[in-house]
Amino acid sequence: MAEIEREAMEYDVVIVGAGPAGLSAAIRLKQLDEDLNVVVLEKGSEVGAHILSGAVLDPCGLDALIPDWKEKGAPLTVPVKEDNFYMLGEAGQIRIPNFPMPPLMNNHGNYIVSMGNVCRWMAEQAEELGVEIFPGMACSELVYGDNGEVKGVVAGVFGLEQDGSYGPNTEPGMELHGKYVFLSEGVRGSLAKEVIAKYDLQAGKEPQKFGVGMKEIWEVDPAKHKEGTVTHTMGWPLGSNAGGGSFIYHLDNNQVYVGFVVHLNYKNPHLFPYMEFQRFKHHPVVADLLKGGKRVAYGARAITEGGYQSMPKMVAPGVALLGCSVGMVNVPRIKGNHNAMLSGKAAAEAAYDAIKADRSGDELSDYEVEVRTGPIGQDLKKVRNVKPIWSKWGLTASLMLGGLDMWTNTFGFSLFGTVSHGKTDAAATGKAADFKPIDYPKPDGVLSFDRLTNVSFAATNHEESQPCHLRLADPNLPINVNLPQFDEPAQRYCPAGVYEVVEKDGKPDFVVNFQNCVHCKTCDIKDPSQNITWVTPQGGDGPNYPNM
């Protein structure tokens, strides 16, 4: 067919993703120069639609970006009042006292927030400064310049045929060009993945590590609600099967955020992260809280866990990676939004200096230096060994040695240097024959729920006539390789029930129910054959998390 013709719009900076990193970059650019042309492209139906509420936010990023955020009405209204940490057994728990914890683990001064609402508020601040924000505009391609630099993105392609081809009703979208392009797509973004591969940005770095985080929002009995309480747990039900833990945050309006994280470097392919989450809620300490309440939302997303040593090079010609596109989560603190904001601010300042010097399309090396040596690098370097120690030697070693390492890093040194991660999460998956299957109790429909019922509380939607955005490099591989070798773990690691193995004509058949997808991208990460690639579906599709 003839070459596709698209209109092009020119900007100073094009930002992909209206999360905390992208919005921070947009705000800072306009603070520095109100005449800069800045656009933010968001694939969700609205800003915040793909951000499930519930986080503890360190306000340092917001302090640096908008010092008067309180006066401007930022939705940070529930300060942390109580901080609990429990080691769970099957029927009981032991509280770990706060006093031996390194100072960085203290939540004093932090806030329990809806990050969806924080991003909606940040979008309002950005628009007041003159930033253009286009929701429902998925960015499906990068546009490269004559010298191999990233010069823009293709956004707003709608109506593709099911095979991905252009048909008579296809809207080809448009190209948005910038002197610099910022990718703030979140974890394992499809464009960032392409940039990392094209420019070999992971060279010389440890492999990135991930977890899958699942979260439910509950409205609980007012008598059980303790606004401002933060609780983290480790141990049961995961035990030695996998690393991970839980968080329970009491917001206002009798709402409680209940979350569960499973590190994706687990070996046993029979492990079912979603069912581990459901089983967790039957522990007495959790069940007592939730009884008499109701679940009002569900969602899931991957979490970057590699930390300081896994961050790729963040810049290439014309492009910079921000926030979780790099991997800036402080794993023991379970916090990354503050670093995402700081990264957006740093990228904006580097781009402003470059544009002021009549540069464009080159590498923003000042941004890279600031991230690695400034507050973000200092935050992540202190905790860099906690995750690899946990992965190599288990939970007890992580608590003792990881805690010791965090203490010594508080004083500027480490007894361990920098511990390596080793394998990717996909390569860590063991063969099914080497592990026993795990028998999970059936959800009771009161505290625990089957996946498809829960997915309905994510309000996810994908137009069935569009191409499947979960692409298989080899459609035969799931049945011919993954099923006999790994008992096809996609049936279990997906928290939305996208993948099934069913019988068809007396033979197993691999089914992809892409309409269920909540955009967590676990499949792109954990598939042991690396056969699945997540690409962005058309704009507006995916979850529509509530504005709570």
Side-chain angles (χ1 to χ4, degrees), residues 23 40 46 74 88 99-100 132 148 171 212 238 261 286 295 300 307 313-314 346 354 443 448 464 466 498 523 527:
L23 291 170
V40 178
E46 63 169 336
L88 298 186
F99 71 83
E132 295 181 39
E171 298 178 29
V212 56
L238 290 174
V261 177
V286 188
R295 158 213 49 178
K313 184 180 178 183
M314 300 160 216
S448 51
E464 293 188 21
Q466 71 176 287
V498 169
C523 54
D527 177 45

Side-chain angles (χ1 to χ4, degrees), residues 488-528:
E488 185 44 271
Q491 301 174 91
R492 293 172 295 280
Y493 60 58
C494 173
V498 169
Y499 303 100
E500 292 182 282
V501 175
V502 301
E503 187 174 306
K504 182 178 180 181
D505 299 327
K507 296 180 180 179
D509 185 49
F510 189 64
V511 177
V512 181
N513 303 300
F514 73 89
Q515 298 89 345
N516 294 354
C517 182
V518 294
H519 298 193
C520 76
K521 306 170 191 168
T522 301
C523 54
D524 193 298
I525 296 162
K526 185 59 177 173
D527 177 45

Side-chain angles (χ1 to χ4, degrees), residues 136 200 241 255 321 401 441:
D200 197 19
N241 284 323
Q255 287 189 345
L321 308 181
L401 300 179

Side-chain angles (χ1 to χ4, degrees), residues 41-318:
L41 304 166
E42 167 57 37
K43 65 182 174 66
S45 59
E46 63 169 336
V47 173
H50 289 177
I51 301 176
L52 181 63
S53 302
V56 174
L57 178 66
D58 180 338
C60 67
L62 211 50
D63 289 340
L65 183 70
I66 308 175
D68 58 344
W69 54 264
K70 287 185 180 180
E71 291 75 12
K72 290 180 178 293
L76 282 70
T77 58
V78 181
V80 175
K81 299 175 183 175
E82 185 178 343
D83 211 356
N84 304 312
F85 191 92
Y86 291 102
M87 181 64 67
L88 298 186
E90 187 166 358
Q93 68 278 346
I94 298 173
R95 180 171 180 181
I96 298 176
N98 290 358
F99 71 83
M101 299 280 189
L104 61 89
M105 297 295 288
N106 189 345
N107 273 310
H108 178 72
N110 297 331
Y111 293 81
I112 303 172
V113 299
S114 157
M115 279 311 298
N117 286 345
V118 170
C119 287
R120 292 180 180 99
W121 175 82
M122 292 179 70
E124 293 173 0
Q125 308 310 304
E127 288 180 323
E128 288 178 6
L129 292 169
V131 176
E132 295 181 39
I133 300 177
F134 298 141
M137 291 286 280
C139 298
S140 52
E141 298 177 42
L142 292 167
V143 179
Y144 294 97
D146 294 338
N147 298 314
E149 78 280 9
V150 174
K151 63 178 276 188
V153 296
V154 174
V157 178
F158 291 93
L160 291 171
E161 300 293 296
Q162 279 198 323
D163 63 358
S165 63
Y166 282 68
N169 298 316
T170 300
E171 298 178 29
M174 62 191 311
E175 293 187 4
L176 295 99
H177 299 167
K179 295 172 182 174
Y180 296 98
V181 175
F182 291 171
L183 299 181
S184 51
E185 304 167 285
V187 178
R188 198 76 163 191
S190 53
L191 300 185
K193 185 179 175 183
E194 179 181 329
V195 165
I196 290 170
K198 178 179 176 64
Y199 298 103
D200 197 19
L201 302 186
Q202 202 69 43
K205 314 296 183 185
E206 286 288 308
Q208 187 58 266
K209 307 295 286 185
F210 300 90
V212 56
M214 298 153 286
K215 190 183 303 179
E216 294 173 357
I217 304 176
W218 281 71
E219 291 179 358
V220 300
D221 181 344
K224 300 177 182 179
H225 184 252
K226 298 179 180 178
E227 183 177 306
T229 298
V230 168
T231 299
H232 292 105
T233 78
M234 301 171 75
W236 190 88
L238 290 174
S240 61
N241 284 323
S246 82
F247 54 89
I248 302 172
Y249 304 150
H250 291 244
L251 196 67
D252 50 7
N253 301 318
N254 300 317
Q255 287 189 345
V256 174
Y257 304 146
V258 182
F260 197 80
V261 177
V262 178
H263 301 171
L264 288 175
N265 63 346
Y266 62 83
K267 297 177 181 178
N268 186 345
H270 302 295
L271 188 83
F272 200 154
Y274 175 84
M275 291 306 297
E276 296 285 353
F277 176 32
Q278 299 306 303
R279 183 161 61 167
F280 158 76
K281 290 183 292 174
H282 285 274
H283 190 280
V285 76
V286 188
D288 290 346
L289 170 66
L290 301 182
K291 282 177 181 175
K294 65 176 182 178
R295 158 213 49 178
V296 295
Y298 166 74
R301 57 162 289 184
I303 302 167
T304 53
E305 295 185 340
Y308 186 80
Q309 59 267 56
S310 294
M311 294 193 299
K313 184 180 178 183
M314 300 160 216
V315 294

Side-chain angles (χ1 to χ4, degrees), residues 60 64 338-339 342 346 369-382:
C60 67
H338 63 298
N339 284 335
L342 291 171
V369 172
E370 171 60 23
V371 169
R372 295 195 184 275
T373 62
I376 298 172
Q378 293 165 20
D379 181 50
L380 297 179
K381 196 168 185 179
K382 292 176 183 177

